[in-house]
Amino acid sequence: MTGLLLTAGCDLEAILEVDIPGKVDAESLSDPTLASVLVNSVVGDVECAWSNYAAAASHHSDEWIPTSGNLNMREWGQRKMDPQALSGGVLATGSCSSNYGVYTPLQTGRFQNNDVFDKLAEFDAGDVPGKAQMQGRVRVYGGWALIALGEGFCSMALDGGPEMQPNQVLEVAVQNFSEAISGAGDATLVTGSYAGRARAKLYMGDWSGAITDAQQIPEGFKFGADRAGDLDIRQNYLHRWLNDTNDGISKHGSVADHFRDLTVNDAGELTQNDGMPDPRVPVRTIGNQAFDFSTIHYFTDKYTSRGDPAPFASWEGAQLIIAEASAQMGDVATAVGIINALRAKSGLPEWAAGASASQSDVIDAVLAERSRELFVEQAWRFNDMLRYRGSAHQISFLGEPGSIHPNGLDQTGAEYGTVTCWELPLVETNGNENINR
């Protein structure tokens, strides 16, 4: 009764007129003094989305075995994220701070890239110093959002348009990166654009174009999403959900058996527990149980905190793009030379058999080298598994013949699903009038 009396004595309209601190109305977004704020919002959106995507892609690949006691995360590890499953819903509508919200954060970053680019175009150049560079900056990050949307999903739709195949999405990414290269100005962003464009061209089979762009990446280059451990949306999600040994509920995957104790023998053959330890795949355990309380948790020292950057691209990644594209074009000598050069940097033996290896063997060698050089980095393993699906170079998903779990069951006896690429979520197929299913 007291509540009713209080309500009766109040001005209801005054209660509803709440001033939300930090709220920016739409009209204010047309203020050129907010240009840098708009650009930074694009960067923040895409960095968080990429961190989620890279973690989800690694978890879904064969780099980790499923060890979660949480249904959603268990289904990620067991390849059961169909659009109607619980994890499929998170995949579609989860936020940047949820466990692997992917689709909505990536689409948000991509849309923001276009929206802010157009807003900047409306501003007078005299009112926005560095306007062209700002437009180039948002294009860089928009391009990387498109890389993830094109690579990870079986098909895609942009802005309510028709269903697109991966190569069509990646063509839009190429356009974004090309605009960034022309306008970004900042050397790191321009180089990051060349790296993204090379990756897109590799996926599309433009071997010579991929090589030309990847050759623009200087040795030592790294481009990553800045992360921090203080806020959920700023965390490195691969470390947060898979790798962190200090959190009793975060060990949702354990590094898969075939990525443990990796070595290289005297002949330069990639081995396991037979030869020189491969420092590129630093995996160990302290004997803790993972979140399923039945599997020992193995983790990697590539990430040691939730504030570690989430890499987009690197010189090593660019070199392996050149190696793969060269091998695909029949230039196996260049590919083998890159493999040996990368090994030399890590103090590992050269691949002796590479001098007489066939084109097919060299392509396999490049993929194997990338699995070590870029282990749990940049979503490359997932990329390779999807690109070579159904080919002579196929990399089996866990649960499939040829994997470490060939009978369809994980290490606990639980059944794997059949998801490879991620299906276009129901939130898109049900709400997009241009898609008929």
Side-chain angles (χ1 to χ4, degrees):
M1 190 65 176
T2 305
L4 290 175
L5 291 173
L6 286 173
T7 302
C10 294
D11 182 348
L12 186 57
E13 290 187 6
I15 293 175
L16 295 177
E17 290 176 358
V18 179
D19 182 21
I20 303 174
K23 181 181 178 182
V24 179
D25 59 63
E27 196 173 313
S28 297
L29 297 179
S30 297
D31 182 353
T33 63
L34 291 178
S36 61
V37 175
L38 296 174
V39 172
N40 288 337
S41 72
V42 175
V43 174
D45 283 343
V46 175
E47 284 188 332
C48 188
W50 179 264
S51 179
N52 253 8
Y53 169 71
S58 181
H59 196 172
H60 182 56
S61 75
D62 68 339
E63 293 177 320
W64 305 83
I65 55 175
T67 62
S68 183
N70 172 285
L71 175 60
N72 175 37
M73 296 297 273
R74 186 84 180 176
E75 290 191 340
W76 274 101
Q78 292 175 340
R79 302 197 295 117
K80 295 178 179 177
M81 307 85 60
D82 69 78
Q84 298 190 38
L86 172 62
S87 50
V90 173
L91 168 71
T93 61
S95 71
C96 225
S97 59
S98 62
N99 42 0
Y100 304 155
V102 175
Y103 182 77
T104 297
L106 286 171
Q107 286 281 27
T108 299
R110 179 204 61 79
F111 174 83
Q112 286 283 81
N113 146 59
N114 290 334
D115 189 52
V116 172
F117 185 92
D118 291 342
K119 279 188 170 65
L120 289 169
E122 296 172 0
F123 296 152
D124 189 297
D127 294 332
V128 184
K131 168 181 162 177
Q133 289 76 18
M134 287 184 177
Q135 287 182 295
R137 186 177 181 84
V138 299
R139 280 296 190 244
V140 176
Y141 287 91
W144 279 102
L146 285 157
I147 287 284
L149 290 169
E151 287 183 359
F153 289 83
C154 307
S155 63
M156 187 47 55
L158 305 178
D159 300 319
E163 191 165 6
M164 304 167 69
Q165 296 308 302
N167 279 8
Q168 294 174 298
V169 181
L170 293 172
E171 286 172 0
V172 183
V174 166
Q175 294 168 14
N176 272 246
F177 288 129
S178 295
E179 291 183 38
I181 289 167
S182 298
D186 180 90
T188 298
L189 294 179
V190 169
T191 306
S193 298
Y194 275 117
R197 196 168 73 174
R199 179 165 171 160
K201 289 179 177 179
L202 184 79
Y203 193 106
M204 295 188 289
D206 179 2
W207 311 125
S208 60
I211 290 171
T212 299
D213 281 346
Q215 287 173 334
Q216 308 304 310
I217 314 305
E219 186 170 353
F221 176 77
K222 293 187 183 299
F223 179 53
D226 184 46
R227 302 285 80 201
D230 52 348
L231 297 173
D232 283 349
I233 61 171
R234 297 270 290 128
Q235 293 180 2
N236 178 314
Y237 283 114
L238 189 143
H239 187 74
R240 168 69 177 86
W241 297 117
L242 296 167
N243 206 53
D244 194 343
T245 61
N246 296 316
D247 187 328
I249 60 170
S250 289
K251 299 180 282 290
H252 296 285
S254 180
V255 173
D257 307 34
H258 56 301
F259 283 106
R260 304 173 192 170
D261 301 313
L262 296 191
T263 49
V264 181
N265 67 19
D266 290 341
E269 297 168 332
L270 299 181
T271 52
Q272 188 170 21
N273 217 7
D274 178 23
M276 181 182 297
D278 193 332
R280 301 171 298 178
V281 193
V283 173
R284 62 190 176 94
T285 182
I286 55 176
N288 286 350
Q289 288 185 331
F291 192 26
D292 63 1
F293 301 109
S294 66
T295 304
I296 296 298
H297 182 239
Y298 283 79
F299 60 96
T300 175
D301 287 327
K302 269 201 165 183
Y303 303 104
T304 59
S305 80
R306 298 179 185 185
D308 286 354
F312 285 105
S314 63
W315 173 77
E316 291 81 2
Q319 288 295 295
L320 288 165
I321 287 175
I322 296 171
E324 181 185 342
S326 296
Q328 285 285 2
M329 295 175 70
D331 181 5
V332 296
T334 292
V336 173
I338 288 173
I339 288 173
N340 288 334
L342 289 173
R343 292 213 186 158
K345 285 180 66 65
S346 296
L348 295 168
E350 290 189 352
W351 181 32
S356 58
S358 67
Q359 179 185 27
S360 181
D361 287 344
V362 172
I363 293 171
D364 284 336
V366 172
L367 297 179
E369 208 70 24
R370 185 183 282 130
S371 76
R372 295 191 178 204
E373 188 70 51
L374 300 178
F375 173 63
V376 299
E377 270 193 47
Q378 305 171 38
W380 267 114
R381 185 62 169 176
F382 187 38
N383 177 307
D384 285 344
M385 296 176 84
L386 292 179
R387 285 190 302 122
Y388 283 99
R389 188 84 179 150
S391 77
H393 309 289
Q394 175 169 307
I395 303 165
S396 298
F397 280 88
L398 296 180
E400 295 181 334
S403 74
I404 59 170
H405 296 155
N407 62 352
L409 304 177
D410 72 11
Q411 75 282 356
T412 68
E415 188 175 11
Y416 281 101
T418 59
V419 177
T420 53
C421 57
W422 301 325
E423 292 288 344
L424 195 60
L426 291 178
V427 67
E428 183 71 54
T429 56
N430 289 345
N432 186 337
E433 62 183 12
N434 290 303
I435 297 178
N436 297 314
R437 290 202 176 172

